[in-house]
Amino acid sequence: MNKRPNERTVNDLFLSGNLREYLQQKNEASLRAIPNSQLNLPLHVGPYHSLYPVDKHFDKTDKSFGYLATIFKCVSNLDGRLYCMRRLEGVPITSGKFLEPIKKWKLVDSANVVKVYDAFTSKAFGDLSLITIYDYYPLSLNLMETHFYRIGNKDPELITEAILWSYIVQLTNAAMEIHNKGLFVGEFDPTKIIVTNKGRVRLSSCAIGDIVEASKDHNQFQNGNQKVEGETDGAKVIDEQKKDLERLGGLVLNLSKSTTFIKDSSTIKPMEIIDRLTFSDEFKKILRYCLTPDSTWKHFQELLAPHILEVANGFENSADYMESSLLTEVENARLVRLLCKLDVISERPEFIKDGSWSETGERYPIKLFKDYVFHQVDEAGNSVVDLTHIVNCLNKLDSGVDENVLLVSPDEMTCLVMSYKRLKELVESSFRSLS
Amino acid sequence: MNKRPNERTVNDLFLSGNLREYLQQKNEASLRAIPNSQLNLPLHVGPYHSLYPVDKHFDKTDKSFGYLATIFKCVSNLDGRLYCMRRLEGVPITSGKFLEPIKKWKLVDSANVVKVYDAFTSKAFGDLSLITIYDYYPLSLNLMETHFYRIGNKDPELITEAILWSYIVQLTNAAMEIHNKGLFVGEFDPTKIIVTNKGRVRLSSCAIGDIVEASKDHNQFQNGNQKVEGETDGAKVIDEQKKDLERLGGLVLNLSKSTTFIKDSSTIKPMEIIDRLTFSDEFKKILRYCLTPDSTWKHFQELLAPHILEVANGFENSADYMESSLLTEVENARLVRLLCKLDVISERPEFIKDGSWSETGERYPIKLFKDYVFHQVDEAGNSVVDLTHIVNCLNKLDSGVDENVLLVSPDEMTCLVMSYKRLKELVESSFRSLS
């Protein structure tokens, strides 16, 4: 009853349908491109090329931080990787000094913040644009799109208490790393938080706010206002970090509100709205705490601890699930290499001439083996296509196991007994002679 | 400069070396088997077969919970999956009632606890053995093996403060879920905590302790002792749950101790040992708290909160890394299917006879296409093996893109221009006619 090595069913070898489909959609989104001429976009923006708009609605009237904004995916000349490019039109950046906030933001390294790589100005679009470069997440939607809009034929996702706990933990993680780098979030804008995977959120558009702010400060200064620098900057950051907690509470409150019908919700006080939510008392308690004036991140994290643990448990499970899927997939890469090798050495016109594939030639066993693997027929001579048989044979050939196989010529006049080990050597030596 | 869809380099298509190797080793460990006759093991133990010992040293003198113990991997008759089987020899289980703890343990569902599925007694080994069935983790080592032994040519892994923080968070997660199900851990034994992946720990051997305890209680009862049941059981569990925190502290202290040279460490008080550790004050504070008599899990979690967040961030990154690896691998599964299809329809002896592959036959373009893909030669007629070219062509064929390819016969007497789209249709219809 012992299962032999290399005995795996075809189902073991392929991913389950949903995950495969989702991953392929991501790959396709990454590869999507349009001939440049149709888009009227610049060929290069700094070291980035192959621009392709990734907005759900390529609508130029969208405003972001007070400026017209568009988002592209693009390819870097430097490493060939895909990146996400955000363009803000006509930001009055008159000095490289305004771009300085990017230095600190580049150091932010969190699983819940979209990494920012670069910020520069460009005249490639015909105006003076502020360009910022981020990691690219194919198929990502922002929180508004995820929970409030119908995209294609996908209904908006229901907001539940479990999802909100997870968002709170993830956004807290993002905020803590941003604070650690001497920065603050500033705004938890649901159109600037993207969902990159089931339940995974990331703060996006980082650094832009600080750069736009720097250019504004400068203009005010030019209009006669004195900008106070130095220590007060540090005090301002600490104050803003404190305010981040209230802002996080505000976002969560707005998302929560949508789960209940509340008449005239704009005239009702936040604390009263919280009372009316159909969520657990613990959830309401923590949400109230966010919105309390003298709340601190430290105590907030303490209250949150059991839920952080729960969310961590979920991420551990995700990592395990992905790994178990990978375990089934790694074998395919080996099979691709082996199949390519077999096809490279088979049927070569020059070999057919030199007789090495004829019945007395050295490569004849490989020909018979391929018949055995791919061209099975039943007693009546009808073809039998059995992917399990094919994959099993290829796995054995790949491992070069010490098991014999009986090879019979189509006319049944020639019989050969040969081990997979010997066949593997034959394939390898044939391939080596070519490459 | 726009990259076309399906234009990917060969490197994009395969996993990075280390992860691939690690995953393949896991697959190989899962598949490893020995003909049954060589091991003198039973063919079946309950519904499980194909037993294979997975102890690092198949040593029968190991004792676990006071009994001789061995570990096997095995295959279930019911679902064909691999499981881990633990056998304890000669446990005096005289009634099915002793196995009852398994009911609660089966409900424990945590990313840091090895799931237990079943417990039963068996005479298959010739004695009365207690058999427990768990999830199987190939290549897993326990904490002792990971950090204190040289296994094969792998040096023991250094214990650092970062690793210990992660272990504390993960084992807290395990304990919280176990407590939630009305159970307690009982012992954080470094030989019963397994490392299933880089930095990932799981409590193993669950439920055995409670079953062995139940059999002991019964024997005491038979010897005249009165067992008190009911409410006191609940009180005992709460007390043991409290003690779990001290036990966790004990494990962490022992692991920490090994990082510093401490003379006569057995005669020195734990709190003094903590003082001498070269770890951060925060670490020492939390470790001291574990070992304080009136400590609570609730406050412990609060102290731990920032570190839970950090560990969660790490798991998010792991899940992302695994997913990005999967993205590169899913394409291979498609290529395997396509390559198999091509080989199934090519070179079939029966087709060679019927003329469909001859220069006027309907399948001739496929033959020329395979020459174009696999049998490229340079001007001098020498073979050129280019995996990138092969993979690009196959991807285009798989997507059936509307791009033409010039197919030339080896004697250069026949030229055909055909689109990948049309070629794909030809391949599909040829394959359909066979299957």
Side-chain angles (χ1 to χ4, degrees):
Chain A
M1 289 297 289
N2 259 328
K3 236 185 171 186
R4 289 226 207 83
N6 306 314
E7 275 186 20
R8 315 183 73 207
T9 67
V10 167
N11 284 336
D12 287 342
L13 279 170
F14 297 104
L15 275 182
S16 71
N18 281 345
L19 181 60
R20 158 174 310 285
E21 209 175 288
Y22 176 65
L23 293 172
Q24 278 175 352
Q25 280 172 1
K26 278 201 176 181
N27 274 339
E28 277 161 24
S30 297
L31 291 169
R32 207 165 292 146
I34 289 184
N36 220 290
S37 52
Q38 291 178 26
L39 287 170
N40 200 19
L41 290 172
L43 284 177
H44 282 87
V45 180
Y48 303 93
H49 62 87
S50 303
L51 273 62
Y52 183 85
V54 291
D55 287 281
K56 284 297 142 300
H57 38 265
F58 189 31
D59 182 349
K60 296 264 286 179
T61 61
D62 264 18
K63 283 217 174 186
S64 184
F65 303 98
Y67 296 93
L68 286 177
T70 34
I71 312 175
F72 307 92
K73 72 170 188 191
C74 60
V75 178
S76 161
N77 256 343
L78 306 171
D79 61 10
R81 273 187 56 202
L82 283 168
Y83 288 92
C84 172
M85 174 187 289
R86 285 180 182 262
R87 172 195 172 206
L88 259 67
E89 297 183 30
V91 185
I93 308 267
T94 50
S95 150
K97 205 173 152 261
F98 304 160
L99 298 173
E100 277 202 354
I102 194 70
K103 284 187 193 162
K104 275 191 185 174
W105 278 102
K106 276 166 85 168
L107 301 176
V108 171
D109 182 16
S110 162
N112 299 111
V113 178
V114 177
K115 198 162 176 52
V116 60
Y117 291 93
D118 210 353
F120 54 90
T121 56
S122 169
K123 293 182 176 169
F125 292 92
D127 67 335
L128 186 76
S129 295
L130 169 62
I131 306 291
T132 42
I133 303 291
Y134 302 89
D135 267 332
Y136 166 63
Y137 291 95
L139 298 188
S140 59
L141 297 175
N142 67 43
L143 276 186
M144 289 301 286
E145 292 164 336
T146 304
H147 293 296
F148 298 100
Y149 294 126
R150 194 182 155 83
I151 305 280
N153 53 7
K154 213 181 136 276
D155 282 326
E157 225 177 88
L158 225 62
I159 293 176
T160 63
E161 187 179 326
I163 284 180
L164 290 175
W165 276 121
S166 177
Y167 286 176
I168 294 171
V169 169
Q170 293 180 63
L171 294 174
T172 300
N173 183 44
M176 290 304 95
E177 167 64 5
I178 288 170
H179 293 182
N180 277 342
K181 293 296 186 296
L183 298 159
F184 57 92
V185 178
E187 196 185 5
F188 286 93
D189 175 348
T191 69
K192 300 274 182 306
I193 296 168
I194 61 170
V195 181
T196 57
N197 223 335
K198 186 136 192 62
R200 278 294 299 282
V201 286
R202 283 180 167 91
L203 287 181
S204 76
S205 306
C206 289
I208 298 181
D210 286 353
I211 294 171
V212 167
E213 203 60 36
S215 75
K216 267 191 206 152
D217 283 355
H218 176 78
N219 289 357
Q220 280 181 357
F221 177 68
Q222 289 203 323
N223 295 338
N225 293 318
Q226 192 86 34
K227 187 173 176 333
V228 193
E229 294 220 11
E231 263 181 67
T232 35
D233 255 15
K236 189 199 162 207
V237 167
I238 289 169
D239 186 50
E240 292 286 347
Q241 289 177 347
K242 229 176 106 60
K243 282 187 190 152
D244 275 347
L245 183 53
E246 210 178 321
R247 293 177 192 128
L248 174 61
L251 170 73
V252 175
L253 180 64
N254 281 331
L255 292 172
S256 306
K257 231 160 51 177
S258 72
T259 63
T260 323
F261 175 75
I262 297 170
K263 211 181 153 191
D264 298 323
S265 71
S266 56
T267 62
I268 301 176
K269 282 189 194 140
M271 294 301 174
E272 275 177 53
I273 293 175
I274 294 176
D275 288 338
R276 299 203 202 166
L277 295 175
T278 54
F279 294 153
S280 70
D281 288 342
E282 198 194 349
F283 184 88
K284 293 181 189 178
K285 183 184 160 199
I286 221 164
L287 185 49
R288 263 186 225 109
Y289 183 77
C290 288
L291 299 170
T292 305
D294 55 352
S295 57
T296 67
W297 279 100
K298 186 169 177 293
H299 186 57
F300 177 67
Q301 283 186 69
E302 289 173 5
L303 291 174
L304 201 57
H307 294 278
I308 310 176
L309 213 47
E310 226 169 87
V311 171
N313 188 69
F315 290 135
E316 287 186 72
N317 284 334
S318 302
D320 289 347
Y321 177 62
M322 291 289 174
E323 194 200 306
S324 72
S325 306
L326 254 183
L327 280 173
T328 68
E329 290 292 306
V330 281
E331 300 300 314
N332 288 322
R334 297 215 282 199
L335 292 182
V336 169
R337 284 170 201 265
L338 181 62
L339 281 160
C340 286
K341 271 188 194 173
L342 277 174
D343 280 323
V344 164
I345 61 176
S346 303
E347 291 179 272
R348 290 194 85 90
E350 65 263 39
F351 285 175
I352 292 168
K353 277 179 225 140
D354 79 4
S356 64
W357 290 94
S358 75
E359 286 169 38
T360 52
E362 45 175 335
R363 293 191 180 86
Y364 190 57
I366 301 177
K367 185 186 171 70
L368 293 187
F369 177 69
K370 286 189 75 179
D371 280 343
Y372 171 73
V373 175
F374 297 108
H375 308 138
Q376 294 267 334
V377 287
D378 62 16
E379 301 78 24
N382 297 317
S383 59
V384 177
V385 178
D386 178 359
L387 199 51
T388 307
H389 166 75
I390 293 174
V391 167
N392 279 342
C393 291
L394 291 173
N395 274 327
K396 285 180 188 172
L397 179 64
D398 194 44
S399 333
V401 295
D402 211 353
E403 180 184 326
N404 283 328
V405 53
L406 175 67
L407 304 172
V408 184
S409 68
D411 58 8
E412 297 186 358
M413 298 296 278
T414 314
C415 281
L416 270 172
V417 173
M418 195 171 266
S419 70
Y420 282 97
K421 198 171 163 225
R422 178 77 194 107
L423 280 164
K424 185 181 179 176
E425 288 163 10
L426 261 182
V427 170
E428 291 296 333
S429 68
S430 293
F431 186 72
R432 266 198 308 276
S433 74
L434 288 170
S435 54
Chain B
M1 289 298 289
N2 259 328
K3 237 186 170 185
R4 289 225 207 84
N6 305 314
E7 275 186 21
R8 316 182 74 207
T9 68
V10 167
N11 284 336
D12 287 342
L13 279 169
F14 298 104
L15 274 182
S16 71
N18 281 345
L19 181 60
R20 158 174 310 286
E21 208 175 289
Y22 177 65
L23 293 172
Q24 278 175 352
Q25 281 172 0
K26 278 201 176 180
N27 275 339
E28 278 160 24
S30 297
L31 291 169
R32 207 165 291 145
I34 290 184
N36 220 291
S37 51
Q38 291 178 27
L39 287 170
N40 200 19
L41 289 172
L43 284 177
H44 282 87
V45 180
Y48 302 93
H49 62 86
S50 303
L51 273 61
Y52 182 85
V54 291
D55 287 280
K56 284 297 143 299
H57 37 265
F58 190 31
D59 182 349
K60 296 264 286 179
T61 61
D62 264 18
K63 283 216 174 187
S64 184
F65 303 98
Y67 296 93
L68 287 177
T70 34
I71 312 175
F72 307 93
K73 71 170 189 191
C74 60
V75 178
S76 161
N77 256 344
L78 306 171
D79 60 11
R81 273 187 57 201
L82 283 168
Y83 289 91
C84 172
M85 174 188 289
R86 287 181 181 261
R87 171 195 172 205
L88 259 68
E89 297 183 30
V91 185
I93 307 267
T94 49
S95 150
K97 205 174 153 259
F98 304 160
L99 298 173
E100 277 202 356
I102 194 71
K103 284 187 193 162
K104 275 190 185 176
W105 278 103
K106 277 165 84 169
L107 301 176
V108 171
D109 182 16
S110 163
N112 299 111
V113 178
V114 177
K115 198 163 176 53
V116 60
Y117 291 93
D118 209 353
F120 54 90
T121 55
S122 169
K123 294 182 176 169
F125 292 92
D127 67 334
L128 186 75
S129 295
L130 169 63
I131 306 292
T132 42
I133 302 292
Y134 302 89
D135 267 333
Y136 166 63
Y137 291 95
L139 298 188
S140 59
L141 297 174
N142 66 43
L143 277 186
M144 289 301 285
E145 293 164 335
T146 304
H147 294 295
F148 298 100
Y149 293 125
R150 194 182 155 84
I151 305 280
N153 53 6
K154 213 181 136 276
D155 282 327
E157 224 177 272
L158 225 62
I159 293 176
T160 63
E161 187 179 325
I163 285 180
L164 290 175
W165 277 121
S166 177
Y167 286 177
I168 293 171
V169 169
Q170 293 180 63
L171 294 173
T172 300
N173 184 44
M176 290 304 95
E177 167 65 5
I178 289 170
H179 293 182
N180 276 343
K181 293 295 186 296
L183 298 159
F184 57 92
V185 178
E187 196 184 4
F188 286 93
D189 175 348
T191 69
K192 299 275 181 307
I193 296 168
I194 61 170
V195 181
T196 57
N197 222 335
K198 186 138 191 61
R200 278 294 299 282
V201 286
R202 283 181 167 89
L203 287 181
S204 76
S205 306
C206 289
I208 298 181
D210 286 352
I211 294 171
V212 167
E213 204 59 36
S215 75
K216 268 191 206 152
D217 283 354
H218 176 77
N219 289 357
Q220 280 181 356
F221 177 68
Q222 289 203 323
N223 295 338
N225 293 317
Q226 192 86 32
K227 187 173 175 334
V228 192
E229 294 219 10
E231 263 181 67
T232 35
D233 255 14
K236 188 198 163 208
V237 167
I238 289 169
D239 186 49
E240 292 285 348
Q241 289 177 347
K242 229 176 105 60
K243 282 187 189 151
D244 275 347
L245 183 53
E246 211 179 320
R247 292 177 192 128
L248 174 61
L251 170 73
V252 175
L253 180 64
N254 281 331
L255 292 172
S256 306
K257 232 162 47 179
S258 72
T259 63
T260 324
F261 175 74
I262 297 170
K263 211 181 152 191
D264 298 324
S265 71
S266 57
T267 62
I268 301 176
K269 282 188 193 140
M271 294 300 174
E272 276 177 53
I273 293 175
I274 294 176
D275 287 338
R276 299 202 202 166
L277 295 175
T278 53
F279 294 152
S280 70
D281 288 341
E282 198 194 349
F283 184 88
K284 293 181 189 177
K285 183 183 159 199
I286 222 165
L287 185 49
R288 263 186 224 109
Y289 183 77
C290 288
L291 299 170
T292 306
D294 56 351
S295 57
T296 67
W297 280 100
K298 186 169 177 295
H299 186 57
F300 177 67
Q301 283 186 69
E302 289 173 5
L303 291 174
L304 201 57
H307 295 279
I308 309 177
L309 214 47
E310 227 169 87
V311 171
N313 187 69
F315 290 135
E316 287 185 72
N317 284 333
S318 303
D320 289 347
Y321 177 61
M322 291 289 174
E323 194 200 306
S324 71
S325 306
L326 255 183
L327 280 172
T328 69
E329 289 293 305
V330 281
E331 299 300 313
N332 288 322
R334 297 215 282 199
L335 291 181
V336 168
R337 284 171 201 264
L338 181 62
L339 281 160
C340 287
K341 271 188 193 173
L342 277 174
D343 280 323
V344 163
I345 61 175
S346 303
E347 291 179 272
R348 291 195 84 91
E350 65 263 40
F351 285 174
I352 292 167
K353 277 180 225 139
D354 79 5
S356 63
W357 291 94
S358 75
E359 286 169 37
T360 52
E362 45 176 335
R363 293 191 180 86
Y364 190 57
I366 300 177
K367 185 186 172 70
L368 293 186
F369 178 69
K370 286 189 75 180
D371 280 343
Y372 171 73
V373 175
F374 297 108
H375 307 138
Q376 294 267 334
V377 287
D378 63 16
E379 301 78 24
N382 297 317
S383 59
V384 177
V385 177
D386 178 359
L387 198 51
T388 307
H389 166 76
I390 294 174
V391 167
N392 278 342
C393 291
L394 291 173
N395 274 327
K396 285 179 188 173
L397 179 64
D398 194 44
S399 333
V401 294
D402 211 354
E403 180 184 327
N404 283 327
V405 54
L406 174 67
L407 304 172
V408 184
S409 68
D411 58 9
E412 298 186 357
M413 297 296 278
T414 313
C415 282
L416 270 172
V417 174
M418 195 171 267
S419 70
Y420 282 96
K421 197 170 163 226
R422 179 77 194 107
L423 280 164
K424 185 181 180 176
E425 288 163 10
L426 261 182
V427 170
E428 291 297 332
S429 68
S430 293
F431 186 73
R432 266 198 307 276
S433 74
L434 288 170
S435 55

